[in-house]
């Protein structure tokens, strides 16, 4: 097999063939351009991970300046939209159960009295937490809100009450995206997600298709080398990947006004590594599948942990440690950090280096498995 | 057989699929410039054998050379000089005829590629349709394209797996004309077929059933070795006669051929005894030479008794 080394001519034959086939397969091509567009619109416009103006009911048993201040503060924040201020316990409970309100704030009878005595009165907040994402931000905002609201009223002789620390400050100061615009976070991440999804499926299909259509038998009977086939099949899809990246970056810039703090060439360079790593997954999958349906199923299996555990959907630090371990093994996790770092923080090569080598390692591992498993016979 | 150059010389070739020997201890010698027919019923292991010869399947046992290279370890070299035409069309249906030929020409690194592709299109008579997608070609045209693609790198050995299945008689005749011309120029051809007339066009034959080699040699040798006695019967109510003869001692085959009946068996004495009652009643019994088909069916029946 040593005399039968990689041959550029044969490699080029595969590249040319793949390009022609890709051009003929209009549907797949349209999908590869369509998927990033659809996802951009879905994630960019429709999905908002930080919902505001959540319907809220306030039940106040204490008619004092302090309770009015609280209502006023809630009303003035973007998060709460007070839809009810009175009603029986029963009525309010129904509202919550039906989802007409997301929150119910109970102000107890002795609220102002205990506040003035410095007894740290309790506020009962009931939240419809079926969707934790929807309430998370609002809840953390409330904490700050309540404590600062009274600062205005607790003056003069009452100012001594302000000294005592209120409930713990949960809300974190937001660097880089102080306005907390979801799109800034989502759009760079989307680039990685779209690449992961399309690249894995498409390469897995490209090789499985040869087996399913029987053309593999012909290909294997020629002197072509597995490496020539694999790399020859990858090249056209790297190009497709860059088309997708261009689309997404253009949308990021012109539709969502995502800042581009760092170097674009650096980002494009990292993307080459990331696309290659993703393509090796597709190739390895194709060695294990018998038909195109299986290939697509496997690609989705891979896609799931990627989208859930990479920090795209949920904050990475909020995951249990076992999930973080899985996340660390995925190239998407590291790519997301790099892409967000370059775009939003203006990171340079030095800052992204620790995220580069895991992607490279992943690629080498996958490629080794892929070439080892690639059957040069029909056995 | 010494003196002459053997293009294929393998022994003991065996392939098992999940424990079942699909090709069992087969030896084959094919000389340069020979057209070697490879026959056998469906599922007898012909395709499997061809695949092993060109390195597509790994044999479980066997040794020998193909084109001077060890067929077990040097398949990369063998592939450069073999044209393998698969049983099922396996070129790219979404590529045009010309693009398919061009792809193959690139893979084999043919010098002056465009010329070679054009020449191939001309011999095929496909110049006006060169831009047509291979997928829209009719079955017969696909076969012709596949053959042209196998020949483009001027191989020294052709392995053809049922190249004429579904091809019309005229095209079939042209095909065989071409094969004989190539063989005369020194190309060796190993071809599988289910057609008896094609078998008779081969220089030599091998017949396998259930993975076992049952007969080989020239057509005459194969027929002789089977030692089959065949009668041609003419007369009234042949269909009823056939029903009565079937299953009688010594009678192995009763086959209707238009207005005649062919009755054959290996045990001539037993046969004569069984047919004695039917020699009267208007039936004429005429001893004839056994045909290749009679021989093959007889071989297959025997193989069934022995191996399954
Ligand atoms: N990859 C495989 N895995 C398992 N069994 C196989 C495989 N390929 C072939 N077989 C079995 O091996 C046997 C021989 O098949 P093969 O295709 O060689 O027969 P053939 O002589 O070419 O038949 P035909 O005349 O129908 O083309 C069949 O029983 C087939 O089912
Ligand atoms: Mg076959």
């Amino acid at each position: 097999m040593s005399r039968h080394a990689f041959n550029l001519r044969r490699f080029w034959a595969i590249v040319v063939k793949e390009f022609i086939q890709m051009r003929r397969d209009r549907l797949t091509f349209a999908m590869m351009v369509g998927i990033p567009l659809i996802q951009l619109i879905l994630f960019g416009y429709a999905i908002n991970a930080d919902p505001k103006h959540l319907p809220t009911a306030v039940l106040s048993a204490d008619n004092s300046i302090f309770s009015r201040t609280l209502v006023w503060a809630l009303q003035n924040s973007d998060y709460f939209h007070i839809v009810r201020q009175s009603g029986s316990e029963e009525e309010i409970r129904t509202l919550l159960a039906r989802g007409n309100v997301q929150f119910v704030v109970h102000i107890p009878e002795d609220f102002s009295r205990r506040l003035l005595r410095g007894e740290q009165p309790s506020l009962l907040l009931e939240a419809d937490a079926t969707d934790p994402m929807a309430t998370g931000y609002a809840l953390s905002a409330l904490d700050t809100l309540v404590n600062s609201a009274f600062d205005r009223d607790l003056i003069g002789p009452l100012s001594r009450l302000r000294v005592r620390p209120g409930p713990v400050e949960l809300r974190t100061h937001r660097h880089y995206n102080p306005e907390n615009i979801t799109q800034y976070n989502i759009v760079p991440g989307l680039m990685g997600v779209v690449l992961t999804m399309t690249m894995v499926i498409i390469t897995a299909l490209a090789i499985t298709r040869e087996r399913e259509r029987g053309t593999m038998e012909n290909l294997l009977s020629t002197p072509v080398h597995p490496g020539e086939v694999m790399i020859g099949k990858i090249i056209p899809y790297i190009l497709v990947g860059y088309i997708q990246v261009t689309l997404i970056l253009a949308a990021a810039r012109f539709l969502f006004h995502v800042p581009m703090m760092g170097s674009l060439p650096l980002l494009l360079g990292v993307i080459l590594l990331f696309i290659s790593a993703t393509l090796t997954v597709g190739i390895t999958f194709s060695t294990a599948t018998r038909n195109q349906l299986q290939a697509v199923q496997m690609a989705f299996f891979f896609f799931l942990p990627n989208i859930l555990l990479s920090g795209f959907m949920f904050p990475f630090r909020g995951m249990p440690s076992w999930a973080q371990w899985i996340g660390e093994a995925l190239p998407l996790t590291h790519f997301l950090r790099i892409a967000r770092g370059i775009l939003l923080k203006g990171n340079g090569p030095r800052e992204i280096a620790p995220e580069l080598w895991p992607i490279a390692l992943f690629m080498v591992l996958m490629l080794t498995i892929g070439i080892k498993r690639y059957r040069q016979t029909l056995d | 057989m010494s003196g002459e150059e053997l293009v294929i010389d393998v022994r003991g070739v065996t392939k098992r699929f999940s424990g079942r020997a699909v090709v069992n201890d087969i030896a084959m010698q094919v000389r340069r410039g020979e057209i070697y027919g490879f026959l056998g019923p469906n599922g007898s292991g012909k395709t499997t054998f061809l695949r092993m010869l060109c390195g597509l399947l790994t044999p479980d046992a066997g040794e020998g050379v193909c084109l001077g290279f060890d067929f077990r370890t040097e398949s990369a070299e063998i592939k450069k000089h073999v044209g393998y035409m698969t049983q099922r069309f396996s070129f790219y249906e979404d590529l045009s005829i010309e693009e398919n030929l061009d792809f193959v020409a690139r893979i084999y690194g043919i010098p002056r590629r465009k010329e070679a592709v054009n020449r191939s299109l001309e011999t095929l008579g496909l110049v006006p349709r060169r831009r047509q997608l291979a997928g829209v070609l009719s079955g017969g045209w696909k076969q012709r394209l596949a053959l042209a693609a196998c020949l483009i790198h001027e191989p020294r050995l052709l392995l053809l797996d049922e190249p004429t299945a579904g091809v019309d008689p005229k095209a079939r005749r042209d095909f065989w004309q071409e094969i004989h011309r190539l063989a005369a120029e020194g190309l060796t051809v190993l071809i599988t077929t289910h057609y008896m007339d094609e078998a008779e066009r081969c220089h030599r034959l091998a017949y396998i059933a259930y993975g076992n080699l049952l007969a080989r040699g020239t057509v005459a040798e194969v027929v002789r070795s089977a030692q089959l006695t065949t009668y041609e019967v003419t007369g009234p109510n042949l269909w009823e006669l056939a029903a009565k003869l079937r299953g009688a001692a010594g009678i192995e085959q009763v086959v209707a051929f238009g207005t005649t009946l062919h009755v054959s068996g290996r045990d001539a004495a037993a046969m004569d005894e069984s047919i004695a009652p039917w020699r009267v009643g208007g039936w004429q019994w005429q001893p004839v030479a056994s045909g290749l088909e009679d021989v093959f069916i007889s071989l297959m029946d025997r193989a069934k008794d022995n191996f399954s």
Side-chain angles (χ1 to χ4, degrees):
Chain A
M1 202 52 42
S2 54
R3 271 186 294 164
H4 186 67
F6 192 92
N7 178 305
L8 267 181
R9 194 192 61 224
R10 289 191 299 252
F11 156 75
W12 189 244
I14 303 278
V15 172
V16 171
K17 173 190 84 78
E18 287 298 318
F19 263 116
I20 300 175
Q21 289 189 305
M22 195 166 80
R23 209 182 61 214
R24 297 266 151 79
D25 192 358
R26 295 257 165 79
L27 187 70
T28 307
F29 195 76
M31 229 174 62
M32 291 186 288
V33 179
I35 286 179
L37 284 179
I38 292 172
Q39 297 226 4
L40 262 175
I41 293 167
L42 283 181
F43 283 100
Y45 285 124
I47 300 177
N48 191 342
D50 183 15
K52 307 245 167 98
H53 307 289
L54 301 169
T56 305
V58 177
L59 276 187
S60 181
D62 173 69
N63 195 6
S64 70
I65 176 158
F66 297 111
S67 58
R68 279 196 299 277
T69 301
L70 189 64
V71 169
W72 172 84
L74 289 176
Q75 192 78 276
N76 269 298
S77 85
D78 279 346
Y79 286 109
F80 305 96
H81 172 60
I82 299 186
V83 292
R84 278 295 275 272
Q85 289 218 48
S86 58
S88 71
E89 193 81 11
E90 195 86 11
E91 267 180 293
I92 298 293
R93 197 157 300 281
T94 324
L95 285 179
L96 195 65
R98 287 197 189 141
N100 293 347
V101 297
Q102 185 101 27
F103 300 103
V104 182
V105 182
H106 293 270
I107 304 176
E109 223 170 2
D110 52 355
F111 182 73
S112 49
R113 204 180 59 219
R114 294 187 62 184
L115 186 78
L116 288 172
R117 281 195 206 148
E119 286 181 358
Q120 255 194 309
S122 60
L123 265 183
L124 176 64
L125 181 85
E126 289 182 274
D128 175 1
T130 33
D131 183 355
M133 285 261 282
T135 52
Y137 284 105
L139 283 176
S140 68
L142 182 73
D143 190 46
T144 324
L145 205 78
V146 170
N147 284 296
S148 53
F150 300 117
D151 286 358
R152 221 173 40 111
D153 297 328
L154 300 175
I155 42 170
L158 294 180
S159 59
R160 63 183 166 85
L161 296 172
R162 275 158 59 179
V163 200
R164 192 198 46 241
V168 185
E169 162 80 86
L170 286 179
R171 195 174 182 201
T172 44
H173 191 120
R174 294 191 179 92
H175 287 287
Y176 313 117
N177 185 7
E179 294 136 287
N180 201 20
I181 298 173
T182 319
Q183 277 89 347
Y184 283 12
N185 193 37
I186 291 264
V187 174
L190 204 56
M191 195 158 57
V193 168
V194 166
L195 287 175
T196 302
M197 185 152 112
T198 47
M199 294 293 108
V200 171
I201 293 189
I202 275 163
T203 32
L205 284 186
I207 295 179
T208 319
R209 188 164 49 209
E210 299 254 5
R211 207 167 293 131
E212 196 173 304
R213 292 188 186 164
T215 52
M216 194 53 118
E217 186 175 2
N218 217 329
L219 200 61
L220 289 177
S221 75
T222 70
V224 79
H225 188 271
E228 292 153 10
V229 176
M230 287 196 197
I231 303 175
K233 276 178 171 293
I234 282 181
I235 297 287
Y237 297 112
I238 290 187
L239 217 85
V240 171
Y242 271 107
I243 296 178
Q244 297 182 323
V245 166
T246 312
L247 271 173
I248 294 174
L249 284 181
R253 189 89 201 84
F254 301 111
L255 291 182
F256 303 109
H257 311 290
V258 175
M260 294 207 187
M261 312 285 286
S263 137
L264 192 62
L266 177 65
L267 180 63
L268 293 179
V270 174
I271 286 174
L272 182 64
L273 177 71
F274 178 65
I275 291 182
S276 311
T278 312
L279 290 176
T280 57
V281 177
I283 286 186
T284 303
F285 280 3
S286 74
T287 62
T289 54
R290 292 230 155 257
N291 55 50
Q292 297 194 57
L293 182 67
Q294 283 181 358
V296 173
Q297 284 173 334
M298 272 189 92
F300 269 101
F301 258 125
F302 179 68
F303 188 57
L304 219 61
N306 265 290
I307 205 164
L308 296 178
L309 304 182
S310 63
F312 172 72
M313 278 260 179
F314 310 113
F316 195 80
R317 293 203 178 83
M319 303 190 309
S321 60
W322 62 266
Q324 290 197 13
W325 276 107
I326 299 176
E328 292 286 356
L330 302 169
L332 181 61
T333 309
H334 302 280
F335 178 74
L336 288 184
R337 293 176 192 161
I338 295 176
R340 287 169 179 166
I342 293 178
L343 286 174
L344 305 179
K345 303 182 191 172
N347 281 353
R350 231 150 38 92
E351 287 93 349
I352 64 168
E355 306 293 342
L356 277 180
W357 70 262
I359 303 183
L361 181 69
F362 180 90
M363 183 173 81
V364 171
L365 263 169
M366 270 292 161
L367 201 63
T368 314
I369 299 175
I371 290 182
K372 274 247 164 67
R373 286 198 47 107
Y374 181 87
R375 280 162 291 195
Q376 242 190 316
T377 60
L378 297 167
D379 290 85
Chain B
M1 203 181 282
S2 52
E4 276 174 278
E5 187 192 336
L6 289 178
V7 169
I8 300 175
D9 184 11
V10 294
R11 290 165 299 282
V13 179
T14 301
K15 178 73 188 176
R16 290 185 201 91
F17 285 122
S18 36
R20 190 171 61 98
V22 163
V23 169
N24 189 16
D25 192 20
I26 286 193
M28 185 180 277
Q29 279 85 33
V30 182
R31 295 166 221 163
R32 198 172 100 88
E34 193 166 47
I35 301 176
Y36 200 93
F38 196 25
L39 289 94
N42 291 132
S44 53
K46 304 181 294 295
T47 302
T48 307
F49 184 78
L50 293 190
R51 283 175 172 169
M52 283 191 281
L53 274 186
C54 60
L56 285 180
L57 287 174
T58 321
D60 291 311
E63 53 175 20
V65 289
C66 181
L67 291 164
F69 300 106
D70 186 320
F71 91 108
R72 299 195 67 169
T73 57
E74 296 177 299
S75 52
E77 288 303 318
I78 295 174
K79 284 176 183 179
K80 290 181 187 164
H81 307 288
V82 167
Y84 172 48
M85 180 171 165
T86 54
Q87 182 167 359
R88 182 181 153 197
F89 182 74
S90 58
F91 286 89
Y92 298 97
E93 304 215 335
D94 49 354
L95 256 52
S96 72
I97 295 168
E98 188 176 10
E99 287 160 351
N100 266 305
L101 292 173
D102 195 58
F103 171 68
V104 178
R106 275 181 205 268
I107 288 280
Y108 287 100
I110 291 165
R112 292 201 298 281
R113 201 180 75 243
K114 290 283 166 211
E115 267 174 53
V117 169
N118 281 332
R119 213 177 321 120
S120 177
L121 283 169
E122 271 159 35
T123 10
L124 264 175
L126 278 175
V127 178
R129 296 214 259 168
R130 63 201 302 168
R131 287 190 221 298
Q132 220 168 52
L133 294 189
V136 304
L137 290 175
S138 75
W141 277 107
K142 277 185 185 163
Q143 302 284 76
R144 283 189 233 184
L145 167 61
L147 180 67
C150 287
L151 287 170
I152 207 162
H153 62 292
E154 297 177 353
R156 281 154 51 195
L157 170 64
L158 263 189
L159 302 176
L160 305 176
D161 201 353
E162 297 189 33
T164 56
V167 172
D168 69 53
K170 168 75 170 69
R172 220 141 62 85
R173 185 171 289 178
D174 293 346
F175 169 85
W176 275 94
Q177 193 87 23
E178 175 78 0
I179 293 295
H180 272 281
R181 187 182 66 74
L182 291 166
E185 288 173 3
L187 180 68
T188 311
V189 183
L190 176 57
I191 178 170
T192 75
T193 178
H194 289 295
Y195 296 116
M196 291 305 131
D197 61 317
E198 291 189 347
E200 287 172 2
R201 281 171 166 152
C202 296
H203 297 130
R204 288 194 303 141
L205 302 172
Y207 185 83
I208 70 168
Y210 307 101
N212 295 277
L213 192 86
L214 300 184
R216 66 173 160 201
T218 61
V219 174
E221 284 166 1
V222 170
V223 170
R224 207 176 319 125
S225 72
Q227 297 183 313
L228 211 60
T229 312
T230 304
Y231 287 100
E232 187 180 84
V233 194
T234 50
N237 299 329
L238 286 176
W239 191 245
E240 282 165 34
L241 177 67
K244 281 167 187 148
L245 287 172
R246 273 195 194 103
I251 295 181
E252 289 170 3
Q253 295 175 49
V254 183
V255 189
F257 278 94
T259 55
T260 66
L261 210 59
H262 279 204
V263 180
S264 49
R266 269 170 297 158
D267 188 344
M271 250 178 94
D272 282 338
E273 208 165 296
S274 293
I275 63 182
W278 314 104
R279 281 193 182 272
V280 289
W283 287 300
Q284 273 87 50
W285 293 76
Q286 182 78 34
V288 291
S290 304
L292 209 45
E293 188 170 281
D294 304 321
V295 170
F296 286 157
I297 291 173
S298 160
L299 286 172
M300 195 173 109
D301 287 342
R302 266 179 266 173
K304 205 185 298 176
D305 301 339
N306 290 345
F307 302 112
S308 59

